[in-house]
């Protein structure tokens, strides 16, 4: 990834400290973006085989970007704003992530390592191996100093709690605002819109609504919903909110919960899919639309409308597309000239992606050069919160995804939990907005 030469300045130029080296960054942008733009893609090593790890999803849904930040381990750097002088350390490597002696594990066991069965039945060796496995397990190291004291938890009460500020959540919020129903909407990003703001543009997609057009105090950004619980006072959301004085826990009691958290980019299983330089399709569109970063040569693989829309977005910004492999088809009529039906994708490279190969349908094997492989497939619904609240989750064989069971108006098995958008199977942004509106209408009709 590189910063596009025609991109306007997006913030103040600063530096961060990466393992003792001064690295240029942009104040306020996710520190993982700055590191990738500075040609520092390796942020950590994997737990078991100590393979190099680079950001993949830019949605805090994988562990590839976890680093030690100012002494705090396991911080999602794809969500952490860069600050001048910030101290960054790579994790799970000895003596360094660039030269890690434990990388030899991968060489000695090319077919995989099951440490549970190594030396099983050999008394002394079995005990030694178990101790070694325990010492090598885990992510990062504990902080050397106590963390800062967090502000006390705060309790909020509202009629409706909305989770997610994407197309569905904003559609629901607009209905609630127009009807005068008190609500609180929680969005973990620092901006509203979700894929409307940083996904591939959709034809006739809805506009991102301005937070100022909603009742004052009803929209909370940089607020991550952690869980849905019950206590003697009722049901509440546990929310981690990043406030000016620091992170604070919020307990949010509500009569109804409208869940529209969207989904996260899954990974397609193929050889070397964990090489630095393999990114989710939505991560690529985020980097391009919000931070003006893109690869020079990209190979794309996956299926669905977003795959082919991403190709057009990349070409518009001067990215050379070297391959477009649709694993399911059919190809759209306006597909890229290089788009083919294919299978058996594979990323190539020693420390980072340098090429991509695949088998063409009815043809032979083909290999192309690239500096990034972009994996664009339908997102996997973030159903965990709904299931915790009592909604039923089932596997949709047609979509190949686990989805929340809900009727056309978003009603779930739990009478106070409603679901909309990607949570119930996805669709276009326009369809998600309409689902959010329908769900809000149905929800309001059931309020006391």
């Amino acid at each position: 990834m590189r910063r596009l030469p025609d991109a306007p300045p997006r913030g103040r130029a600063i530096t961060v400290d990466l393992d003792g080296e001064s690295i240029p960054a942009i104040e306020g942008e996710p520190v993982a973006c700055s590191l990738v733009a500075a040609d520092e893609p390796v942020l950590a090593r994997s737990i078991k085989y100590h393979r190099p790890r680079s950001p993949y999803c830019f949605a805090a849904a994988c562990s590839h970007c976890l680093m030690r930040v100012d002494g705090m381990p396991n911080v999602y750097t794809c969500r952490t704003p860069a600050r001048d002088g910030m101290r960054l350390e790579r994790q799970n490597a000895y003596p360094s992530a660039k030269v890690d002696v434990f990388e030899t594990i991968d060489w000695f066991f090319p077919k995989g390592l099951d440490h549970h069965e190594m030396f099983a039945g050999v008394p002394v060796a079995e005990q030694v191996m178990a101790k070694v496995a325990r010492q090598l397990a885990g992510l990062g190291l504990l902080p050397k100093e106590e963390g800062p004291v967090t502000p006390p938890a705060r309790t909020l009460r509202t009629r409706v709690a909305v989770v997610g500020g994407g197309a569905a959540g904003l559609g629901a919020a607009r209905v609630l605002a127009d009807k005068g129903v008190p609500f609180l909407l929680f969005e973990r990003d620092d901006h509203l819109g979700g894929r409307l703001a940083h996904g591939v543009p959709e034809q006739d997609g809805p506009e991102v609504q301005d937070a100022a057009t909603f009742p004052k105090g009803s929209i909370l950004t940089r607020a991550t919903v952690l869980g849905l619980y019950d206590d003697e006072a009722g049901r509440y959301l546990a929310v981690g909110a990043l406030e000016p004085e620091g992170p604070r826990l919020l307990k949010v009691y509500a009569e109804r919960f409208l869940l529209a958290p969207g989904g996260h980019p899954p990974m397609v299983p193929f050889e070397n899919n964990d090489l630095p330089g393999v990114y989710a399709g939505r991560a690529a569109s985020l980097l391009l639309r919000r931070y003006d970063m893109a690869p020079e040569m990209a190979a794309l693989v996956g299926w669905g409308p977003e795959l082919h829309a991403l190709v057009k977005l990349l070409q518009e910004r001067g990215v050379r597309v070297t391959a477009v492999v649709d694993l399911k088809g059919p190809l759209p009529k306006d597909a890229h000239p290089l788009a083919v039906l294919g299978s058996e994708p594979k990323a190539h490279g020693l420390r980072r992606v340098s090429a991509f190969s695949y088998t063409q349908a009815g043809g032979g094997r083909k290999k192309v050069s690239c500096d990034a492989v972009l994996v664009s497939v339908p997102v996997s619904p973030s159903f965990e919160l709904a299931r915790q609240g009592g909604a039923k989750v089932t596997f949709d064989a047609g979509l190949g995804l686990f989805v929340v069971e809900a009727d056309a108006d978003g009603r779930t098995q739990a009478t106070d939990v409603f679901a909309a958008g990607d949570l119930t199977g996805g669709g276009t942004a326009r369809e998600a907005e309409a689902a959010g509106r329908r769900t809000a209408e149905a929800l309001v009709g059931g309020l006391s």
Side-chain angles (χ1 to χ4, degrees):
M1 291 284 181
R2 75 201 194 287
R3 297 194 188 276
L4 297 178
D6 60 343
R10 285 191 170 270
R12 184 169 71 97
I14 59 173
T15 60
V16 296
D17 183 282
L18 175 62
D19 291 333
E21 296 183 42
S22 183
I23 304 296
I26 300 297
E27 187 175 41
E29 91 174 354
V31 68
C33 292
S34 294
L35 295 179
V36 171
D39 200 29
E40 293 285 353
V42 179
L43 307 189
R45 290 278 178 162
S46 64
I47 303 174
K48 189 171 183 179
Y49 297 107
H50 286 252
R51 296 167 182 161
R53 283 288 177 260
S54 180
Y56 169 71
C57 69
F58 279 90
C62 69
S63 60
H64 291 193
C65 72
L66 294 180
M67 300 184 74
R68 194 179 187 90
V69 178
D70 290 332
M72 184 64 64
N74 304 325
V75 175
Y76 282 104
T77 55
C78 71
R79 295 276 168 173
T80 304
R83 303 186 311 274
D84 193 26
M86 173 185 284
R87 292 183 296 107
L88 305 169
E89 300 171 77
R90 297 180 175 98
Q91 297 186 148
N92 305 324
Y94 180 82
S96 72
K98 292 184 178 180
V99 182
D100 185 358
V101 296
F102 292 113
E103 188 178 19
T104 55
I105 295 173
D106 208 2
W107 300 345
F108 286 136
F109 301 94
K111 295 184 179 181
L113 167 64
D114 184 357
H115 62 271
H116 298 285
E117 296 185 0
M118 290 191 68
F119 305 111
V122 183
V124 176
E126 183 180 34
Q127 295 173 7
V128 171
M129 190 60 216
K131 184 176 181 180
V132 170
R134 285 194 297 269
Q135 291 292 326
L136 293 178
L139 279 171
L141 299 173
L142 291 173
K144 296 179 181 178
E145 302 174 355
E146 290 187 10
V149 178
T150 58
R154 188 152 50 96
T155 299
L156 303 175
R157 298 183 184 277
T158 187
R159 301 293 301 280
V160 181
V162 181
V163 179
L170 290 176
R174 178 53 58 201
V175 170
L176 296 173
D178 291 345
K179 290 182 176 294
V181 177
F183 72 93
L184 291 173
L185 182 148
F186 302 96
E187 168 56 50
R188 67 175 184 170
D189 280 330
D190 60 359
H191 60 277
L192 296 176
R195 57 172 155 166
L196 298 176
H198 52 247
V200 292
E202 294 184 16
Q203 188 175 7
D204 301 324
E207 297 292 329
V208 179
Q209 300 183 52
D210 189 345
T213 64
F214 293 98
K216 185 177 180 180
S218 63
I219 305 293
L220 283 76
T221 56
R222 304 182 75 178
T224 302
V225 176
L226 307 173
L228 178 55
Y229 303 101
D230 297 88
D231 65 8
E232 64 279 359
R235 304 195 88 180
Y236 67 92
L237 293 175
V239 182
L242 190 57
E243 298 182 345
E245 58 270 26
R248 184 193 297 271
L249 179 65
L250 306 178
K251 290 183 70 176
V252 183
Y253 291 91
E255 296 178 43
R256 297 289 185 270
F257 300 89
L258 198 161
L259 308 182
H264 53 271
M267 170 55 77
V268 175
F270 60 87
E271 191 171 351
N272 293 331
N273 64 1
D274 60 350
L275 267 179
V278 177
Y279 299 94
R282 288 203 177 181
S285 63
L286 166 73
L287 292 173
L288 186 54
R289 293 188 64 189
R290 290 197 64 84
Y291 305 111
D292 292 313
M293 291 174 53
E296 291 188 14
M297 296 188 299
L300 290 88
V301 61
W303 62 85
E306 286 192 31
L307 170 67
H308 300 280
L310 180 58
V311 175
K312 296 178 181 179
L313 178 63
L314 293 169
Q315 285 193 300
E316 289 172 359
R317 300 302 298 272
V319 177
R320 181 185 168 194
V321 175
T322 59
V324 181
V325 181
D326 194 315
L327 299 177
K328 291 190 176 181
L331 297 179
K333 294 181 180 179
D334 59 347
H336 188 275
L338 294 177
V340 298
L341 294 176
S343 61
E344 300 179 299
K346 178 182 178 179
H348 299 266
L350 183 60
R351 297 289 182 183
R352 63 177 69 188
V353 166
S354 60
F356 176 74
S357 66
Y358 58 95
T359 299
Q360 301 181 75
R365 194 83 183 156
K366 186 172 183 179
K367 185 176 182 180
V368 298
S369 297
C370 62
D371 60 351
V373 174
L374 309 181
V375 183
S376 182
V377 297
V379 296
S380 180
S382 298
F383 58 78
E384 295 83 1
L385 190 65
R387 184 170 63 181
Q388 187 181 13
K392 186 176 181 180
V393 176
T394 56
F395 182 74
D396 188 311
L399 296 174
L401 300 169
F402 285 93
V403 300
V404 176
E405 278 195 7
D407 65 15
D409 294 329
R411 297 183 182 89
T412 73
Q413 182 175 275
T415 57
D416 59 347
V417 175
F418 292 70
D422 287 332
L423 213 57
T424 58
T428 66
R430 178 66 69 186
E431 291 169 339
E433 182 195 40
R437 287 180 171 273
R438 285 196 311 273
T439 302
E441 294 279 0
L443 178 151
V444 169
L447 285 174
S448 59

